[in-house]
Structures are given as C-alpha cells and as structure tokens.
Amino acid sequence: MEVKAGETTVGKSHSGAERAPFGGKGAGRLYLGIDIGSISSDVVVFDSERRVHWSDYSRTFGEPMETVRRQLGTVFEEIAPG
C-alpha cells in the first residue's frame, strides 16, 4: 500500500479496533493524546474508560508541527468542544 501525505486512518483506531460511538456535546469528559515523532504523528481522543472516540495516524514527511495542526483542526471539526 502506498502512503500519501496527509493520509489518515478514519473509522478505526490506529490498532485497528473499532471506535466507540461519540455521543455529541455534553457526552462527558474526553481526553486528547498527542504523539509527535520524526516519521509520524498520532492523535487520539478517548474517555475515562479508555474507549477511543477518534484517532488519526499520519506520516509527517518532515513537517511534524504542520501535520499536528491539521490533525487537531480535523478533530475539533468532528468533535466540537463544548
């Protein structure tokens, strides 16, 4: 499989496990985890029971900060804080 810049894993967590359904605004406290490396960046949103609600794995292609900015923009579009 060829990986392209900005390609993400949507619908499943990085481990391949199905994501927990997101209950929308007021659904409870969520936590954000970020792992930035020289090759890739992982962003995950999970709840207090460690159920993954959103995750993204992206290759950084030498631009780790821009990659994380894009990932965070996407997570805040899909899971609006409030």
Side-chain angles (χ1 to χ4, degrees), residues 34-43 60 63-65 67-68 71:
I34 302 171
D35 178 15
I36 304 170
S38 60
I39 301 296
S40 65
S41 170
D42 290 292
V43 174
T60 60
E63 298 182 351
M65 295 309 293
T67 301
V68 171
Q71 289 173 301

Side-chain angles (χ1 to χ4, degrees), residues 12-66:
K12 292 189 176 191
S13 68
H14 181 53
S15 67
E18 291 293 326
R19 293 182 185 164
F22 178 64
K25 286 187 177 183
R29 185 167 289 207
L30 296 174
Y31 302 90
L32 176 67
I34 302 171
D35 178 15
I36 304 170
S38 60
I39 301 296
S40 65
S41 170
D42 290 292
V43 174
V44 62
V45 175
F46 58 99
D47 62 23
S48 59
E49 295 180 23
R50 297 184 180 175
R51 291 179 299 200
V52 174
H53 292 267
W54 190 94
S55 66
D56 179 65
Y57 167 86
S58 292
R59 299 279 307 267
T60 60
F61 295 99
E63 298 182 351
M65 295 309 293
E66 184 55 38

